[in-house]
Amino acid sequence: MAKAKKGFSRSDRIAEQIQRELAELTRKGLKDPRAGWITITLVQVTRDYSHAKVFYTVMDEKTREATQEALESSAGYLRSELGRSIKIFTTPQLHFVYDESVERGMHMTSLINQVAREDAEKFGGQEAPSSEDGAEGKE
């Protein structure tokens, strides 16, 4: 009899738990004034749980480097607090990586909006002809 496969692996569940705990710790427990408004977007944990790559974003681009320094200097504190709240054999070492996907998404959205405005100006508020319409012959 085959076992039912679970939706998430143990490492995925631990990564999600670490993400939730770090989000709370950075919001309430991080007292470093260099840290900006931090959003933890993703956590990836190695198979042996010895290392965790923590992806984050900040609200203000100007505080990006200072926030990186603040996170790196408080990694030991965050790891010890994480060890108290999550019961696993090895509390992973934390490696912080700035997540640029949000910025790339915003840039792509602005490019799409720009093209849409240019099309609206070019076609005077009418829809641009599609390639399918041009392929059909007139009867």
Side-chain angles (χ1 to χ4, degrees), residues 49-98:
Y49 309 120
S50 62
H51 297 275
K53 193 181 288 187
V54 181
F55 293 89
Y56 72 95
T57 61
V58 290
M59 293 296 288
D60 186 11
E61 178 65 26
K62 297 172 191 165
T63 64
R64 178 177 168 180
E65 290 179 20
T67 300
Q68 179 74 30
E69 292 171 5
L71 287 171
E72 287 174 0
S73 69
S74 62
Y77 164 75
L78 293 171
R79 183 177 184 214
S80 67
E81 290 297 314
L82 202 57
R84 289 186 183 120
S85 61
I86 297 178
K87 304 299 180 203
I88 56 176
F89 184 72
T90 302
T91 303
Q93 290 184 2
L94 304 175
H95 306 280
F96 295 97
V97 179
Y98 185 75

Side-chain angles (χ1 to χ4, degrees), residues 107-129:
H107 178 69
M108 293 299 291
T109 300
S110 69
L111 289 175
I112 291 170
N113 290 339
Q114 178 184 354
V115 169
R117 280 192 306 272
E118 290 171 1
D119 281 353
E121 291 171 7
K122 184 176 179 180
F123 297 108
Q126 299 174 354
E127 285 189 33

Side-chain angles (χ1 to χ4, degrees), residues 34-57:
R34 296 176 295 173
W37 187 307
I38 302 168
T39 302
I40 306 295
T41 57
L42 179 69
V43 174
Q44 294 175 340
V45 181
T46 58
R47 298 181 105 210
D48 62 354
Y49 309 120
S50 62
H51 297 275
K53 193 181 288 187
V54 181
F55 293 89
Y56 72 95
T57 61

